[in-house]
Every structure is written in C-alpha cells, then in structure tokens.
Amino acid sequence: MKFTKTGCLIAIIGVSAVILIGLAGFYMFYNEDKPQGKSGPDAEQLAQKMLTAINDEAWQEVKYVTWNFAGRHQYLWDKERHLVQIKWDNNMVLLNPNTVEGIAYNDGVEIAKEDGDKMVKDAWDYFINDSFWLNAPSLVKQPGTVRSIVTAEDGEQQLMVTYTSGGSTPGDSYLWKLDESGRPLSYQMWVKIIPVGGTEFTWEGWTEMPNGAMLSTIHKGPGFTLELTDIKTGENYTEFGLDIDPFIPILR
C-alpha cells in the first residue's frame, strides 16, 4: 500500500485527535477540584493522631535507612547528618540535601564539575520525591505546612496538608484518608506535576521497623503501582555491610 504525504498527514492528525479526545475524557472523568478544609485544633489533633499511628517518634530516632524506590533508585540515608548516597544505573551520588551539593560518579569515576553538578541536582530531585513516598506522613507538621480538616460525604474526617514551602514543588496539597487508628489508607494529590487534580494513591503494605517505626511499602494508583523494597534501618553504616563511612568524600 502506498501512502502520499497528504495521506500520512491526515493519518497523523487523526491519531493526534483521538489521543487528545482520550486525554480530555480522562481529565473530565477523573479531575476533581481541591476541597476547602477548615484549619484549627481539630486538624492539629488529627495530624497528631496520624503521627502516633505510624510511631513517628520511633522514626525520628532512626539514624540510617536504606531502600529501593520502584526498582529505579537505591538509597542509603544518614538521617542524623542528613547525607544521602543514591545509586541508579552505573551512577552514584553522595549528596548533602540541605545545600544541594555533592559528588557524582559514573562507574566509580568522579565526574567533572559541570556534568557532576547536573547529576547532583538530578539526585536531589530523586531524593525529594522518593523520600516523600518513603514516609510522607512524618512530614505533615514540618515547617511550611498548613493542615485542615475536610469532611467527606460519609462524614469521615480527612486531613488536608498543603506544603507552602520546601521540596521541589511548593504549593502541593495532599488529602489523607485514615483508618480508625489514624493510619493512612490513601491520599489524593493536587500537585503541579500531575494535571489531573485529586489523583489517588494507596498507602498499604505497612511494615514495622525494628524500633517500631511504621512504613508503607506499596502505593497503588491509576494503572500502576509504586513499590518500595529492601527497606532496612540501623544505627550505623556497618550494619549495611560497609567498613568505612561512605560519606567521607563530602565531609572533607
């Protein structure tokens, strides 16, 4: 079969139109306006109930944690010094998230500054995103957050948390649905990187760390699942098979 340029153009336009119609339909069906919540003591109490349910006090005492994010990025996080080792493909970055500075390596060889700085920024973006999925509930009272109560149609109280500063996309909002104990079941998101408001992901696969901190390992969303694996907490880097401090190069 022979296609003319005009025929190919018509076919491309036709396919594009179908895609656009599909996206518009998806948006109209799934998009939700962000509900208005009510701030005050009730919201603060519900936030504290959630922190208690996940044993946030124990999480704050964790010194080291390692995890694999969705098979893409492997982390070792020194929470006490707030330093992170991030590995993906043949790359590794030693990162100070507070300053967005660090050292980048490819196949074990340090990368020169310009390319290295870009990789460090990429690693920072990965860490901000992936550590949020690791334990977003622990961040509901961090500086720059605003909490409010949203009452669902069934009368259940839900917790809206808006991040007015910090992270890579300030202004994002999350509506937490909780069980009777206060443990998260899911959240809906109104975030800059997702055009469909109210996209919902589950928080399930709860796992108890040795010191009692609770972490969710499975997040199911529209059409796909994010899974966090190889989660381990410890008191020292030696517990992760390391003989020397992996962060020495960025402490010099």
Side-chain angles (χ1 to χ4, degrees):
M1 182 180 292
K2 184 177 181 180
F3 290 95
T4 65
K5 290 183 179 179
T6 301
C8 290
L9 180 60
I10 292 173
I12 291 170
I13 292 173
V15 171
S16 299
V18 170
I19 292 173
L20 288 172
I21 291 170
L23 290 174
F26 180 87
Y27 179 85
M28 292 179 65
F29 185 81
Y30 286 102
N31 185 66
E32 295 184 25
D33 293 331
K34 186 174 72 172
Q36 296 299 311
K38 182 179 179 181
S39 299
D42 289 344
E44 300 307 313
Q45 184 176 0
L46 187 57
Q48 186 55 53
K49 183 177 181 179
M50 181 166 70
L51 291 173
T52 300
I54 64 167
N55 198 351
D56 185 61
E57 287 189 4
W59 172 248
Q60 299 304 326
E61 295 299 318
V62 169
K63 294 181 179 177
Y64 283 83
V65 59
T66 185
W67 79 100
N68 184 294
F69 178 79
R72 304 172 196 169
H73 310 137
Q74 180 69 41
Y75 291 89
L76 174 65
W77 180 12
D78 179 340
K79 288 177 73 261
E80 193 167 44
R81 294 181 294 182
H82 198 36
L83 302 172
V84 189
Q85 180 194 80
I86 308 166
K87 294 181 179 180
W88 72 98
D89 299 330
N90 295 324
N91 304 314
M92 183 183 77
V93 168
L94 299 177
L95 172 70
N96 182 333
N98 290 328
T99 60
V100 197
E101 295 176 338
I103 303 174
Y105 302 86
N106 179 261
D107 287 328
V109 178
E110 184 174 341
I111 298 174
K113 183 170 177 55
E114 185 174 345
D115 291 336
D117 287 349
K118 181 183 182 302
M119 190 179 294
V120 167
K121 177 56 169 61
D122 289 342
W124 183 82
D125 286 333
Y126 296 154
F127 173 70
I128 294 299
N129 178 78
D130 300 354
S131 62
F132 192 83
W133 286 103
L134 176 68
N135 200 353
S138 72
L139 302 175
V140 297
K141 285 194 174 185
Q142 75 172 22
T145 55
V146 176
R147 292 156 296 283
S148 59
I149 290 284
V150 173
T151 302
E153 292 182 358
D154 61 4
E156 288 293 320
Q157 288 191 327
Q158 302 171 356
L159 180 67
M160 177 74 79
V161 181
T162 298
Y163 293 81
T164 63
S165 63
S168 55
T169 55
D172 292 349
S173 294
Y174 301 81
L175 182 62
W176 291 94
K177 299 178 182 180
L178 312 175
D179 67 14
E180 292 182 358
S181 73
R183 182 181 296 178
L185 297 170
S186 67
Y187 64 21
Q188 290 181 271
M189 302 186 292
W190 286 265
V191 299
K192 292 182 178 66
I193 62 172
I194 300 179
V196 179
T199 301
E200 187 169 11
F201 279 85
T202 65
W203 282 68
E204 55 185 290
W206 287 94
T207 302
E208 185 174 0
M209 299 295 102
N211 76 337
M214 301 296 299
L215 297 174
S216 170
T217 61
I218 298 173
H219 308 294
K220 295 179 181 177
F224 69 101
T225 298
L226 291 174
E227 187 171 1
L228 281 63
T229 58
D230 305 326
I231 300 177
K232 179 182 177 181
T233 58
E235 294 294 307
N236 193 282
Y237 57 82
T238 59
E239 297 179 41
F240 301 91
L242 301 171
D243 295 325
I244 60 174
D245 185 347
F247 300 106
I248 287 176
I250 58 174
L251 293 173
R252 292 171 180 163

